[in-house]
Amino acid sequence: MYKTILLSLAALCLPTNGTSWAQTGVNPVEQARQHPIVLNKPAVDFFEGALLGNGAMGVVVTTRPDAIHFHFGHNNVWDIRIAEDYRDETGTFDEIISRVKALPSDLKSIRDDKWFDNYINKMRTNYDKPYPRPFPCGTVVLGFDRRQVELLGHRTDISNGLCEIYLLNNGVRNTLQVFTDMTADKIRFRLVDGQLRPAPSCFNRLRVIPDATTPVEFPKYTATEDLSLGFTQILPRLEPHKYDAAKGHPGDKAFRLEVRIGNELTNGTRHLVNGQDEPLRPMERYIADGNTPFIGCIALTEGAATEVKRDGVNIPEPTATQYDDAFRKSAASWAEYWNKSGVVLADKFLEEIWYWNHYFFNCAVKDGATCPGLFANWSLGNIGTAWHGDYHMNYNTQQPFWLPFSSNRTDKNLPYVDLVRHLLPISEKWAKEYYRMRGAFFPHSAYPVEMTHHPYPVPDWGWEVFETPWTVQGLWWHYIYSMDTDFLKDRAFYPIKQAVLFLVDYLKRPDAHGAQWNDNKYHIFPSVPPELYSLQPGFKYNYDTQTDITLTRFVFKAYLEAVATLKYDKQEAATIGDVKQILANLPDYPTARSDKYGEIYTSVPGETDGIVYNLPANLMHVFPGEEYGIDAPEDVRRKLLNTYRAHRNEGGNDLVTLSMVGVRLGALDVEKFKRQINYCLLPNKTATDMCMQGGGRYDDNTALNYMAPMGIWFENFALPLVVNECLMQSYDGTIRLYPNWDRTKDAEFSTLRAVGAFLVSSRQANGTVEYVRILSEKGRPCRMKNPWGNAAVRLTRNGTPAETLQGEFLSFKTNAGETVELLSESRRESGRQH
């Protein structure tokens, strides 16, 4: 049966975007199939296990010499309790800044002031609670007798999500095939022999284990021990001192994990080392011997507690037909995902990084599910709960959602869009009540739970102004890559406008604009560079940070373009005037002189080249600010390259961010980038956050891998973006091909998405661009840097020869749905001669 399924899946490799593989030479499904994730030994550690998921539910499959463990998590399942104490003692921005102004400027830290030390401790109290956090959903165990069965290893086919676990059963090879249902929160599995025929069970024990870190104050789980094994766990809405476990709360959540197999389950005892027998543990049964083909299903149900309890157990007896139907649908879902875009690279390491991380991303993100936090939907015990596993809005949350645009998977950005909508009420409330301003000030940290008070009202990272424009930046990118004006109108414009209104009010304050500055600039004061300096007495490093300036400029320009696109000029006239006035009078980017590197940009006025950064805070105007890139004016480009070479970064947050700066400048050392990826790779092939150096927050005694055991770092799934940008860039509306690619290495890509809603395909071989094909979704004008220098270029439109263009930059009109092919005239003539 399985062979038949594979044959029928051939049709699923067909593209879905109007381009044939014969045209491009890239078949993403087949390319993905070439990069399985393999471990040829038991995967006993969480970070060795196979990662599975459907974008909502996540599963880590670990294997032991005596058992297989399925560890469950879910983007929607959180410990939803939240502490919101000291709201009456928070004060207002004006009150707190007045106290900062009153501090002696020679004080080393505001914490040296007794009042501030006490205030900051109080403001941190809520965040120091262990909740909210992602809540692990338990483990299912399939045990076997080691005298009979040996576990060899596992292999995950990322093209269709099928994980195969290899066993020797009395010397005969068996395979447990496992996959995540992409349309339901279920894992399905079956055992087959060496010829892929259904095989009887080689397992002797089945067990379900609630997570060991379940708080003791939670209501005890309710067990199911009948045709299926499982449990239901209530997730209280209120903190322990406010919660009545007997009565519950209308806002309680719950989940149920249950497993059912086609074999008979029997109760019994186990023999202990003290010579005594004791009953099997709760939700543990022996699997009866027999010739029945081994097949099973594990289901995770989550939602409001009243609904989960009402629905009851719902796993029917598993059958081969169910397995086959679910696998066909799931494989089809994976094929649709892969066919959005693909690459074929002579550099096979970068190619596998591209496909692996797209696989992980699809496992972790799904429209309609809660936006993933720091560690996505994989958790066990305290793994996946550091920093609450929450949303950090100073890059961590945004970074993985940089991938969907150029990779042509814009639907994967929608959970982030939903997150911004979720954060709006608390952000608007904070702007109004704390700052006494219009618009929205987005929080530094936040949760996917009901919030009525700012989660992190601490005047250090909580005063990072740039997090507000950075939060809404991805909404604008969604629009310019898709040119979906309905999206702009219905989902993007309002949050962007709210960010702009706050920034306008913040920059027009008397403190930020006036004679005391000795200029006519609108200063961004106070603020804090990305995780540097904190709030300083005398505000030494707390104004006009590069990050604030560039992201404010970005969102102001986006707002003006959005207003023009939506024809809101009249109703937005007052704000338009303010935005234009401020844009024309923002401060210059701070610079300094480096003895070794020359003139460089700094993250904040007064800084030197000796600082060790956490993020590339002195190069943010390259990325994500997108003001400068490979074609920057020569004097600016010289300073940018000086800064890039002088930049010192402690690591942990730089794998993608600093690499994006490098690639946008055309200065990324790709081989060094590959070595850093390899340094960060875990056995499961995800890249963790590895530190790189001391001298900043770290020293010689710091364990540079201290973040690796915290969880699966969702942010690094953005790694393929760097590869995309090596192959094609379009951030400023001009398409550039292979701007940071070694031309001695062949490369081909299909339907990468460019600004303007263009799907671009191209191949370069032997140092020459062989073809360029552009599908215009919206009929926008297209501008491209000539990939053949200044040579004449012939255009073909929908297969019909059209005009010839020449020059360094090529500009041409397109029609919606039109495919335009570009070919160098000299290459075209060469092709005719051959």
Side-chain angles (χ1 to χ4, degrees):
M1 176 62 75
Y2 183 62
K3 291 181 179 178
T4 304
I5 293 174
L6 287 182
L7 288 172
S8 70
L9 292 178
L12 301 178
C13 296
L14 296 175
T16 57
N17 48 36
T19 304
S20 73
W21 305 136
Q23 288 177 306
T24 67
V26 180
N27 184 330
V29 178
E30 290 304 317
Q31 288 302 122
R33 189 167 289 127
Q34 294 177 27
H35 299 291
I37 299 172
V38 180
L39 190 67
N40 292 314
K41 64 177 183 177
V44 298
D45 186 77
F46 185 86
F47 298 98
E48 293 178 316
L51 297 185
L52 307 179
N54 62 10
M57 181 182 73
V59 184
V60 178
V61 185
T62 59
T63 54
R64 297 161 37 122
D66 66 341
I68 298 169
H69 288 199
F70 302 93
H71 305 292
F72 286 81
H74 200 290
N75 282 328
N76 295 349
V77 178
W78 277 65
D79 180 345
I80 58 174
R81 299 173 296 174
I82 187 169
E84 297 186 321
D85 300 326
Y86 300 111
R87 68 174 71 217
D88 293 336
E89 298 178 50
T90 302
T92 66
F93 172 72
D94 287 338
E95 292 169 351
I96 305 306
I97 195 174
S98 294
R99 284 187 172 272
V100 182
K101 290 177 180 178
L103 294 175
S105 60
D106 59 352
L107 209 62
K108 287 187 177 181
S109 166
I110 61 172
R111 277 190 170 271
D112 290 338
D113 178 83
K114 185 176 180 180
W115 185 92
F116 261 110
D117 188 56
N118 181 60
Y119 177 77
I120 290 173
N121 288 338
K122 281 187 177 180
M123 294 303 102
R124 281 195 56 94
T125 299
N126 295 330
Y127 195 78
D128 288 342
K129 297 287 181 67
Y131 45 78
R133 66 168 179 125
F135 197 84
C137 299
T139 298
V140 173
V141 178
L142 282 174
F144 49 80
D145 186 340
R146 288 184 58 233
R147 295 169 297 181
Q148 172 187 336
V149 179
E150 180 185 359
L151 195 139
L152 303 177
H154 71 264
R155 178 184 188 274
T156 303
D157 183 344
I158 66 170
S159 73
N160 57 20
L162 183 69
C163 177
E164 295 188 321
I165 301 164
Y166 303 118
L167 309 119
L168 282 181
N169 179 12
N170 289 321
V172 178
R173 183 155 175 134
N174 281 183
T175 301
L176 186 72
Q177 296 179 323
V178 184
F179 70 94
T180 306
D181 192 323
M182 300 302 288
T183 62
D185 289 336
K186 295 178 178 178
I187 282 281
R188 296 186 182 274
F189 53 87
R190 70 174 182 183
L191 195 68
V192 296
D193 64 15
Q195 286 73 47
L196 299 179
R197 297 172 303 196
S201 176
C202 64
F203 302 99
N204 64 359
R205 185 172 60 93
L206 179 66
R207 186 184 179 194
V208 180
I209 309 173
D211 194 78
T213 63
T214 301
V216 294
E217 65 268 22
F218 271 22
K220 185 174 175 57
Y221 64 80
T222 303
T224 300
E225 297 176 307
D226 192 4
L227 296 175
S228 63
L229 297 180
F231 68 98
T232 300
Q233 177 65 62
I234 302 296
L235 302 169
R237 170 67 181 85
L238 302 178
E239 294 184 87
H241 62 284
K242 302 176 183 177
Y243 186 70
D244 186 332
K247 294 181 179 178
H249 185 276
D252 288 349
K253 301 285 189 179
F255 68 90
R256 180 173 53 255
L257 181 68
E258 53 187 326
V259 56
R260 186 170 180 180
I261 61 176
N263 301 69
E264 180 185 355
L265 298 177
T266 63
N267 215 332
T269 61
R270 62 192 184 104
H271 197 64
L272 305 179
V273 293
N274 63 8
Q276 302 295 314
D277 290 340
E278 72 172 16
L280 293 178
R281 289 154 291 201
M283 297 173 290
E284 183 178 28
R285 294 291 186 271
Y286 288 127
I287 300 172
D289 291 334
N291 293 320
T292 303
F294 184 74
I295 192 165
C297 177
I298 310 170
L300 179 60
T301 306
E302 51 77 27
T306 52
E307 296 176 1
V308 173
K309 289 189 290 187
R310 181 193 65 210
D311 291 345
V313 178
N314 58 11
I315 298 187
E317 181 178 359
T319 66
T321 299
Q322 292 171 3
Y323 180 99
D324 293 345
D325 288 346
F327 183 72
R328 284 192 187 93
K329 291 176 183 177
S330 294
S333 175
W334 276 106
E336 182 180 10
Y337 174 76
W338 287 121
N339 285 334
K340 297 289 187 180
S341 65
V343 300
V344 178
L345 308 176
D347 191 319
K348 291 307 174 184
F349 179 77
L350 285 183
E351 183 177 298
E352 68 184 1
I353 290 298
W354 196 94
Y355 283 98
W356 284 346
N357 283 278
H358 275 96
Y359 168 78
F360 299 139
F361 192 66
N362 197 36
C363 289
V365 182
K366 183 179 186 178
D367 185 19
T370 299
C371 183
L374 291 172
F375 307 105
N377 49 356
W378 296 288
S379 59
L380 174 67
N382 289 320
I383 298 174
T385 66
W387 293 291
H388 298 269
D390 66 8
Y391 305 124
H392 274 42
M393 305 309 296
N394 63 344
Y395 103 89
N396 305 85
T397 305
Q398 291 94 328
Q399 180 170 295
F401 294 100
W402 298 340
L403 179 61
F405 306 119
S406 62
S407 279
N408 190 27
R409 293 168 173 88
T410 52
D411 60 302
K412 291 292 182 180
N413 188 51
L414 296 178
Y416 181 84
V417 176
D418 290 339
L419 170 62
V420 175
R421 181 176 58 191
H422 168 72
L423 297 179
L424 262 175
I426 194 68
S427 305
E428 291 172 324
K429 182 178 181 182
W430 190 247
K432 180 180 179 180
E433 296 180 359
Y434 182 75
Y435 283 100
R436 303 291 196 257
M437 296 177 193
R438 299 174 297 165
F441 182 95
F442 287 91
H444 170 68
S445 293
Y447 316 110
V449 304
E450 183 182 341
M451 298 173 289
T452 63
H453 186 58
H454 194 293
Y456 192 84
V458 186
D460 49 23
W461 317 140
W463 275 18
E464 289 179 340
V465 175
F466 63 81
E467 297 192 38
T468 286
W470 207 347
T471 296
V472 301
Q473 182 182 50
L475 308 186
W476 181 247
W477 277 338
H478 192 115
Y479 166 66
I480 62 173
Y481 278 86
S482 68
M483 302 310 296
D484 184 342
T485 53
D486 288 336
F487 172 85
L488 176 63
K489 179 181 178 181
D490 299 335
R491 306 186 71 173
F493 182 72
Y494 182 77
I496 290 172
K497 176 182 175 179
Q498 292 305 94
V500 166
L501 287 174
F502 174 82
L503 291 168
V504 165
D505 286 359
Y506 196 75
L507 271 66
K508 290 184 70 176
R509 292 165 29 249
D511 267 357
H513 177 72
Q516 73 274 22
W517 292 95
N518 297 316
D519 59 31
N520 64 343
K521 304 293 186 182
Y522 290 89
H523 297 271
I524 304 178
F525 166 81
S527 189
V528 179
E531 299 199 18
L532 283 175
Y533 306 117
S534 188
L535 187 61
Q536 299 256 323
F539 303 105
K540 183 178 181 181
Y541 296 114
N542 297 132
Y543 67 97
D544 296 344
T545 82
Q546 186 194 100
T547 309
D548 286 306
I549 296 169
T550 191
L551 290 174
T552 295
R553 183 171 279 132
F554 182 101
V555 77
F556 276 9
K557 290 179 178 179
Y559 166 80
L560 293 176
E561 188 173 339
V563 166
T565 300
L566 297 174
K567 297 181 170 54
Y568 287 170
D569 308 69
K570 186 176 293 186
Q571 65 202 65
E572 297 290 324
T575 306
I576 291 171
D578 286 336
V579 167
K580 289 182 175 180
Q581 176 69 20
I582 294 171
L583 261 179
N585 293 283
L586 281 171
D588 296 332
Y589 290 116
T591 61
R593 170 64 59 174
S594 167
D595 292 339
K596 184 174 183 179
Y597 296 98
E599 189 174 10
I600 62 170
Y601 290 103
T602 61
S603 76
V604 68
E607 191 175 78
T608 71
D609 65 351
I611 192 71
V612 177
Y613 292 99
N614 170 262
L615 282 171
N618 60 341
L619 286 160
M620 303 291 264
H621 48 354
V622 176
F623 186 85
E626 298 195 324
E627 286 186 69
Y628 301 122
I630 199 169
D631 288 329
E634 185 55 38
D635 59 329
V636 173
R637 179 169 171 77
R638 183 175 61 255
K639 282 190 287 187
L640 292 171
L641 291 174
N642 290 347
T643 307
Y644 183 64
R645 294 171 185 130
H647 183 86
R648 303 172 71 200
N649 198 290
E650 67 190 15
N653 301 331
D654 67 325
L655 182 60
V656 174
T657 54
L658 187 56
S659 300
M660 279 299 297
V661 170
V663 76
R664 285 287 176 87
L665 292 174
L668 178 68
D669 182 334
V670 175
E671 294 303 314
K672 186 175 181 180
F673 171 58
K674 289 160 57 180
R675 290 191 293 271
Q676 187 177 357
I677 295 174
N678 195 51
Y679 169 61
C680 296
L681 281 185
L682 296 176
N684 59 16
K685 303 308 180 184
T686 65
T688 192
D689 279 1
M690 293 286 286
C691 302
M692 300 291 286
Q693 71 168 81
R697 297 186 299 180
Y698 309 136
D699 62 25
D700 292 333
N701 294 314
T702 301
L704 297 185
N705 64 346
Y706 81 94
M707 288 185 279
M710 292 178 177
I712 308 298
W713 282 93
F714 175 50
E715 63 195 49
N716 290 328
F717 297 170
L719 274 169
L721 172 66
V722 181
V723 180
N724 291 350
E725 295 274 335
C726 285
L727 300 173
M728 183 194 75
Q729 296 178 20
S730 68
Y731 66 93
D732 62 351
T734 297
I735 297 171
R736 296 172 176 83
L737 298 180
Y738 311 103
N740 201 128
W741 189 255
D742 181 352
R743 293 300 185 93
T744 66
K745 296 182 178 180
D746 296 353
E748 185 170 14
F749 61 88
S750 67
T751 56
L752 293 183
R753 181 173 288 272
V755 167
F758 299 107
L759 300 183
V760 183
S761 303
S762 178
R763 177 171 60 239
Q764 79 92 31
N766 301 315
T768 301
V769 176
E770 294 189 343
Y771 78 85
V772 181
R773 187 171 296 109
I774 301 173
L775 172 61
S776 174
E777 289 186 333
K778 299 292 184 178
R780 304 273 298 184
C782 185
R783 186 173 190 264
M784 170 177 282
K785 189 166 187 177
N786 191 336
W788 297 282
N790 290 309
V793 177
R794 169 62 63 89
L795 272 60
T796 300
R797 297 177 178 271
N798 291 335
T800 301
E803 68 268 38
T804 298
L805 303 175
Q806 193 164 5
E808 182 182 3
F809 292 92
L810 310 174
S811 297
F812 51 94
K813 295 180 180 180
T814 70
N815 296 310
E818 182 180 45
T819 297
V820 180
E821 187 167 356
L822 293 84
L823 189 63
S824 165
E825 280 282 22
S826 60
R827 183 167 182 81
R828 184 166 168 264
E829 291 300 324
S830 175
R832 283 178 176 173
Q833 293 172 10
H834 286 83

